[in-house]
Amino acid sequence: GRVELFDKQAKSVPHMGWNAAQTVHPQENGEAVPSVDDDSRYYFVHSYAVPYTGRGAQRGFVHSATRYVDQVVVSSVWSRNVFATQFHPEKSGAAGLSLLQSFIELNLIRPSLPADPLLRAAEDIRSTLTVRVIACLDVRANDQGDLVVTKGDQYDVRESKDLGGDVRNLGKPVDLAKRYYDEGADEIAFLNITSFRNLPFRDTPMLEVLRQASRSIFVPLTIGGGVRDSVDPDGEHVWPAVDVAGEYFRSGADKVSIGSDAVYAAERYWQRKAGGLEPLDRSTAIEQIAERYGRQAVVISVDPRRVYVSAPEDANGHHVIRTAFPGPNGEQFCWYQCTVKGGREGRDTDVRQLVTACEALGAGEILLNCMDKDGTNSGYDMELISDTKAAVSIPVIASSGAGKPEHFSDVVEQTAVEAVLAAGIFHRREVPIAAVKEHMQAAGIAVRSVDVDNAVL
């Protein structure tokens, strides 16, 4: 067969998310077959695939096919005692565990096929990609040195002075992550918001969180914080960001999220381009991690805030939008300023500059936050998300501001994002994940079903 890069004209690439693997070859009753269920959803993450034709040599080994918008690809193959999948069973929840169990317990020898087997036609493979619902856990050490899940308002994670001023504690990271997995979260993100005190290799509590979580959570795990070049306290040894990411991956992460370092990388990209130099020189963490582990492993976490201007020319060359929500002095325009250091420092870089540069550098996904919306429960920033989605061809995750189920369906319908993320409302059980998925499904949005026996309603 021939392996091809997905066409990104009509869709985001990589193909990232939960999709069906539809069997293409009828099996006789009583035959032992791999446990691939047409009605289940499996986790895919890939940029290349084998186009499915259902003809020629494919008839002898293709077991299932999957549609990704306008293209149909081979998603599993079976020949004699060899069975292989394009998707990731180990990250596909109960459906994936069932498939792995069939590997172990069944005598999976493919029976002899008819001389001219009839496979399902490519046009009969339906579109089944779902929108991902992601639970995010902001993790940091409290004043006693214990790792806790916290959540802030406009990034302030401490209680008011009247309540003691301590770091807001919403639970233990592994326990809360396991709860979200049981409730049907499609992915779980850990954001280590205090980063590393010294070196990632010495941040054993956070690495242990990943190790423990990956033993009982079978959906993708993202980890952010500290993915940058690090220097020993003695100043004698530099640990490259790609090695930091490798330590995360070996501890159980599937993706790393890069925040401040991505802004610096984007600034360098545009500076080199303006100076007539090759902007891609393999010097950034994004390039190095994408080259070694694949672009799907690199998530860019964007922390912007609105800057209002009276006219586009007042934005110092930054990408400006006309906003439906005027500024404090009636300004009709704004641009989105990127921040670093947990939102404490603004940079002379806008979101459009950041995301387009990071896509060129090799990033595979954008996690789009919004400082103005964080903790408000007033809904996502549709203008920011729509503008960013139009600028890139990689998947975008909508974050910051969700307060009720309608906010999730609204952002999908209005911006076509591939995933939606929330934190505080899930932590406090104000809006359960099951309620979000039920509402989205009722609105006609495809989501992965939640096992009602495990869901907390």
Side-chain angles (χ1 to χ4, degrees), residues 272-299:
R272 289 181 62 84
K273 197 163 187 177
L277 301 174
E278 169 55 51
L280 305 178
D281 63 355
R282 301 174 65 188
S283 65
T284 68
I286 298 171
E287 294 168 280
Q288 293 170 12
I289 297 170
E291 180 178 12
R292 183 177 298 184
Y293 297 103
R295 70 163 53 226
Q296 84 292 332
V298 183
V299 181

Side-chain angles (χ1 to χ4, degrees), residues 51-103:
Y52 173 71
T53 65
R55 301 187 299 273
Q58 287 195 358
R59 293 184 296 181
F61 62 85
V62 175
H63 184 65
S64 69
T66 296
R67 177 178 292 278
Y68 182 36
V69 187
D70 58 337
Q71 292 181 265
V72 180
V73 301
V74 174
S75 52
S76 68
V77 297
W78 187 18
S79 179
R80 290 191 281 259
N81 66 334
V82 174
F83 189 83
T85 66
Q86 175 69 70
F87 55 89
H88 291 258
E90 79 285 0
K91 292 295 175 179
S92 295
L97 295 180
S98 177
L99 178 55
L100 291 172
Q101 187 174 19
S102 75
F103 288 163

